[in-house]
Amino acid sequence: MARITIAGASGFIGTALCHELAGEHQVTALTRSRARAATPDPDPRITWRHCDLFSQSDVNRALEGCERAIYLIHSLAPSSRLTQATPRDMDLILADNFARAAAAHGVRQIIFVSGLIPESFRISRLLWSRREVEMALGAHGVPVTVLRAGLVVGPGGSATRLMVELVRRMGVLTLPPTARSVTRPIALRDLNRAIGYCLDHPGPCQGPLDIGGPEWLSYETMLRRTARVLGLRRLVIPLPWMPERIAALGVRWITGAPAELVGPIMASLPRDTRIRSNPVQAHIDPDAIPFHQALEEAVDPERKRLRPSPRQPIRREVAAELRQASLVRSIQRILQPPGQDAAWVAGNYFRWLGSCCWPMVRTRIQEDGRIHVDLVWPGLRLLTLHHAPQASGPERQVYYITGGILARPSPGQARFEFQSVLGGRYTLAAIHDYAPALPWSIYRWTQAVMHLLVMRRYQHKLARLAR
């Protein structure tokens, strides 16, 4: 019986997977929601644990004693009240933290569910972000199994929900040309079987492995079959030309889904994809579930709607947690000059900050590691940061935000981190768990904007050095 840790366990894939694996393994399910972690699972074999994957120390504690890890994280959902970061940059930090902790604790295998990568250069931002996560997870020496899948059909799936809601609400469906591209949708049960096979056969299951269901289907065909499963008559009209932005706006308006979800899904419609033969696909092929059967199992027959996401019962609690804490996350990707590291990027930032904001702001770096950011007139202390040498090294520099009139005590530990990722290609400058002292409505349009402008200038400065 292996000790398995599942990151992202409260999602629709993770929840089903926990129950699938609990019969044969000791399962620890990680979630960022304190509400979910405090709720006992009906299955006593599953241990839920709160873990902030943005915190390296939290991830280190979570992976103690872990033998195998399954990584199901994405950053499309909000993680703070205000986020100045792209999902791509947040995904990269989370994956790097996880890989470092896995290497430190001798984890023998990481399994990551990614997306099918097109053969051509037409790769969406979402799929390229998945590719960066693959590289980050493997950057610290732990063997990584990457299961690249297309549309996963199951209760609570975001892409499946969009299809069901489109068919439910629209009598006539006009589709962009990309809807004729084909993919192999995979049932949630088949994906979980593939993960189980990889756990049992870690030797041959390394590196990227393409997986899919038994049929090659276009999104146009899937929409027609969705209408058949729902018992509805729908007219589906593929158009020779439709901008993706217009298509995404239409889907948002019809389904009510958030922009941060619809845009990436629409941009990731399958193009030029193929599935290469591999042991995992050969294992699931004989009993693979066809699309219509997987969809029938995922749809509530009475309501004619997709069964709810496992996250649904705790979404209000999570939103309330974020609003009550009123914390800020801000992440900027900096191109790291050749031959330098995160320590160099951080040190130069604080020395440069005073000259950038002169004559309004000055910075003072003390010998004991404290950094003061002061308003020149009338001499007010804006922020005080303490360097944390025990948590720092060449590839990561950590500064705790401990005082100043712009910061209030936070439920977490407010910190400014500089983290080198992807073998030194980038440094991610990230503020985590920062609690502004200014009233929220004022902070958003003053200090938050100024921080973003300053970081953009620093990005451009180092980008010129890196060329």
Side-chain angles (χ1 to χ4, degrees), residues 27-344:
V27 175
T28 299
L30 304 184
T31 176
R32 69 182 180 189
S33 167
R34 296 184 185 275
R36 180 64 191 90
T39 305
D41 198 282
D43 190 335
R45 300 169 300 180
I46 301 172
T47 302
W48 284 88
R49 181 170 182 172
H50 171 261
C51 179
D52 176 10
L53 291 180
F54 285 105
S55 167
Q56 186 68 69
S57 58
D58 258 27
V59 187
N60 284 338
R61 286 191 294 269
L63 291 185
E64 286 180 5
C66 171
E67 298 174 53
R68 307 265 173 78
I70 300 171
Y71 191 81
L72 304 172
I73 295 294
H74 66 76
S75 299
L76 296 179
S79 61
S80 58
R81 187 172 178 182
L82 175 65
T83 300
Q84 293 178 320
T86 64
R88 176 187 172 195
D89 291 344
M90 290 191 287
D91 279 335
L92 193 49
I93 277 187
L94 296 175
D96 188 70
N97 284 348
F98 197 82
R100 289 176 189 272
H105 290 288
V107 174
R108 299 204 302 266
Q109 181 188 26
I110 297 174
I111 298 176
F112 171 52
V113 177
S114 187
L116 285 174
I117 304 297
E119 293 288 308
S120 70
F121 291 105
R122 296 183 296 179
I123 302 177
S124 70
R125 289 185 179 180
L126 176 63
L127 289 178
W128 184 247
S129 174
R130 299 286 86 188
R131 178 69 185 111
E132 284 188 328
V133 170
E134 293 177 15
M135 294 188 288
L137 289 174
H140 299 282
V142 179
V144 177
T145 299
V146 180
L147 294 177
R148 291 178 175 172
L151 175 68
V152 180
V153 184
S158 300
T160 312
R161 184 175 302 281
L162 288 182
M163 287 201 304
V164 170
E165 291 304 306
L166 279 173
V167 171
R168 281 186 63 252
R169 301 184 185 200
M170 295 294 291
V172 178
L173 296 163
T174 55
L175 306 178
T178 50
R180 287 182 167 174
S181 300
V182 294
T183 188
R184 283 172 68 172
I186 184 170
L188 176 58
R189 282 198 287 146
D190 287 339
L191 174 59
N192 287 343
R193 284 201 299 128
I195 293 174
Y197 182 83
C198 292
L199 289 172
D200 295 335
H201 303 82
C205 298
Q206 290 191 23
L209 303 167
D210 300 333
I211 59 172
E215 309 163 285
W216 283 100
L217 300 174
S218 67
Y219 271 74
E220 176 188 348
T221 302
M222 285 189 275
L223 286 169
R224 295 183 189 276
R225 294 192 181 181
T226 300
R228 199 175 308 155
V229 168
L230 298 178
L232 300 172
R233 298 183 63 182
R234 294 293 184 258
L235 180 61
V236 180
I237 305 175
L239 299 179
W241 180 81
M242 179 189 290
E244 287 181 356
R245 186 179 296 272
I246 299 298
L249 286 173
V251 172
R252 282 179 55 197
W253 178 70
I254 294 165
T255 65
E260 60 269 18
L261 177 65
V262 173
I265 290 176
M266 293 296 295
S268 301
L269 291 176
R271 303 180 193 179
D272 310 318
T273 57
R274 68 186 181 95
I275 292 180
R276 301 166 184 82
S277 59
N278 60 76
V280 181
Q281 185 62 46
H283 170 72
I284 64 175
D285 263 340
D287 301 310
I289 300 170
F291 173 79
H292 73 276
Q293 181 183 338
L295 188 61
E296 286 172 354
E297 294 175 359
V299 168
D300 184 331
E302 295 183 1
R303 299 171 61 239
K304 300 294 184 184
R305 304 185 78 162
L306 200 69
R307 298 184 192 276
S309 166
R311 284 198 182 100
Q312 194 68 31
I314 61 169
R315 274 184 176 162
R316 289 185 179 180
E317 288 92 336
V318 171
E321 284 178 9
L322 295 180
R323 186 166 185 83
Q324 183 177 8
S326 290
L327 300 181
V328 175
R329 192 179 316 284
S330 182
I331 304 171
Q332 284 74 45
R333 181 183 301 220
I334 297 170
L335 193 61
Q336 189 170 295
Q340 304 300 343
D341 54 24
W344 182 90

